[in-house]
Amino acid sequence: MSKLDPTVLRHKVQNINALPTVPAVFKRLSSVIENPRITIDEISAFISNDPALTTKVLKMVNSAIYGFPGRIASVSHATMLLGLNVIKGLLLGVSVFEMMQKTMSGLYLHSLACAIASRVIAQKKGLKEPEEVSIAGLLHDIGKVILILEFSKEYEAAMNEAQGEKTSIFKAEKNQFTATHADVGSWLAEKWRFPRSLIEIIGYHHRPALAKNAPMEAAIVHFADLLVRARGFGFAGDHFVPEVNTAAFEILNLSGADIRDVLRELEENVESAGDIS
Amino acid sequence: MPNIPTIKLEPGMKLAKPIMAKNGMVILGEGTELNETWIERIRDMEIASVFVDGPSIQTISKEDALAGLDARFALVSDKPYMKIIKQYVKEHIEGLYEQT
């Protein structure tokens, strides 16, 4: 089978509203989020007008993914506290649950755990906005969802290859698609007008050395992803722990105590975070 | 400290973290020993789960958990830093099976 042309793939991603396999609800959300003129008040209203969405967003905002000590009781408080990018990311995070469950069982749990781990590590590194890294952790594998929806047979072949050849899903994707879920994720992040740093983190979470704008943040999500796989939370396409990028691990400079803390917070919170649905 | 779904709460369990109302007010403090009344109240508040004291509940045996860890690290155990990372995870997993 010839490899899929990456420009075809990119075109599809940039026009997901034209893809019949993507659920209508998600397309609507995507349109709202990618609107360059959307204001934070408009997004706030979009959420508040939907009681089910409001509940999900507030639940996630108050969960270990963000780690706020106080409780956030209203959407307007959340939007004021978190800002446009994080709210957009949150909205996507609660909305992809069903799509993730349908395309890859265990992917949502993996993503939630990665969000939690990313937030904890970002706080340990003293980053000013750990919530943005948390969002990147939550959405880092969203590219897999679109690939599976649009190319289910090819993705199945990739997963079989990963299992049979004992290789990573990332490598298997490269063989099937030339582009990977990281590329697809970064194209989506671009489409949704996320800042360059977030686009980079998602695009380079497997090769964090390439992230020139956000090297620390990319290293964080790279390591969070690895740690979550190491502990075995959820499933992201293969059963293997990837090799850590040595430069990334070195700039993170985490102590044994740090890593133990991250694992402990993950252990305490992953199960309840899974109640986000 | 395991996170127990509200449905599975039993009298005698002790809260590991306080339960708070939506406005942040503490309703049941850390260390409270739960009885039937409190459990019903927690359910009425529509709280999904609470943290209680005790060893975390594991669904697989320690041997299986560690075997799984070995399998996951099989391709990378000799790569830079991977041994120490695996060691931290291993110690964490072993800690889950200790009675506190």
Side-chain angles (χ1 to χ4, degrees), chain A residues 96-157:
Chain A
V96 297
F97 169 70
E98 267 169 50
M99 282 167 65
M100 280 195 175
Q101 294 294 78
K102 264 206 277 196
T103 51
M104 187 185 285
S105 181
L107 184 60
Y108 197 66
L109 194 60
H110 168 84
S111 302
L112 286 182
C114 194
I116 295 172
S118 299
R119 189 265 301 167
V120 176
I121 298 172
Q123 280 177 330
K124 284 194 178 295
K125 297 315 294 176
L127 292 191
K128 267 186 302 161
E129 294 183 56
E131 306 84 39
E132 288 214 10
V133 193
S134 179
I135 286 295
L138 189 61
L139 299 176
H140 76 286
D141 272 350
I142 197 164
K144 289 178 182 167
V145 176
I146 303 299
L147 280 173
I148 295 173
L149 280 176
E150 198 49 22
F151 300 105
S152 57
K153 279 214 182 63
E154 288 85 348
Y155 209 88
E156 200 185 323

Side-chain angles (χ1 to χ4, degrees), chain A residues 26-187:
Chain A
F26 191 74
K27 286 179 183 174
R28 210 176 314 132
L29 177 65
S30 181
S31 307
V32 168
I33 288 184
E34 74 183 51
N35 180 353
R37 282 186 289 276
I38 196 102
T39 64
I40 194 140
D41 287 338
E42 284 166 348
I43 292 218
S44 193
F46 178 79
I47 299 171
S48 306
N49 287 337
D50 182 337
L53 196 53
T54 298
T55 305
K56 289 182 195 179
V57 167
L58 287 179
K59 238 181 168 177
M60 190 176 267
V61 147
N62 285 303
S63 77
I65 293 176
Y66 291 97
F68 285 116
R71 286 205 49 163
I72 298 171
S74 69
V75 175
S76 52
H77 187 189
T79 52
M80 185 183 72
L81 200 64
L82 298 171
L84 187 61
N85 291 318
V86 176
I87 287 292
K88 279 163 60 165
L90 240 176
L91 249 182
L92 285 163
V94 304
S95 307
V96 297
F97 169 70
E98 267 169 50
M99 282 167 65
M100 280 195 175
Q101 294 294 78
K102 264 206 277 196
T103 51
M104 187 185 285
S105 181
L107 184 60
Y108 197 66
L109 194 60
H110 168 84
S111 302
L112 286 182
C114 194
I116 295 172
S118 299
R119 189 265 301 167
V120 176
I121 298 172
Q123 280 177 330
K124 284 194 178 295
K125 297 315 294 176
L127 292 191
K128 267 186 302 161
E129 294 183 56
E131 306 84 39
E132 288 214 10
V133 193
S134 179
I135 286 295
L138 189 61
L139 299 176
H140 76 286
D141 272 350
I142 197 164
K144 289 178 182 167
V145 176
I146 303 299
L147 280 173
I148 295 173
L149 280 176
E150 198 49 22
F151 300 105
S152 57
K153 279 214 182 63
E154 288 85 348
Y155 209 88
E156 200 185 323
M159 284 179 65
N160 288 337
E161 184 186 322
Q163 197 172 350
E165 306 293 315
K166 291 204 191 311
T167 182
S168 69
I169 186 67
F170 183 74
K171 289 205 185 93
E173 282 174 0
K174 242 183 147 57
N175 288 339
Q176 283 290 331
F177 299 102
T178 311
T180 68
H181 68 274
D183 299 310
V184 175
S186 70
W187 299 334

Side-chain angles (χ1 to χ4, degrees), chain A residues 116-127 133 216-228 244-263 266, chain B residues 81 84-85 88-89:
Chain A
I116 295 172
S118 299
R119 189 265 301 167
V120 176
I121 298 172
Q123 280 177 330
K124 284 194 178 295
K125 297 315 294 176
L127 292 191
V133 193
M216 177 61 83
E217 292 84 344
I220 290 174
V221 174
H222 168 76
F223 187 66
D225 175 49
L226 188 154
L227 205 58
V228 164
V244 75
N245 178 287
T246 51
F249 194 60
E250 282 157 15
I251 67 171
L252 282 174
N253 197 28
L254 294 170
S255 66
D258 289 333
I259 295 176
R260 257 175 256 134
D261 285 344
V262 178
L263 286 166
L266 271 176
Chain B
Y81 299 120
I84 184 79
I85 293 171
Y88 290 134
V89 181

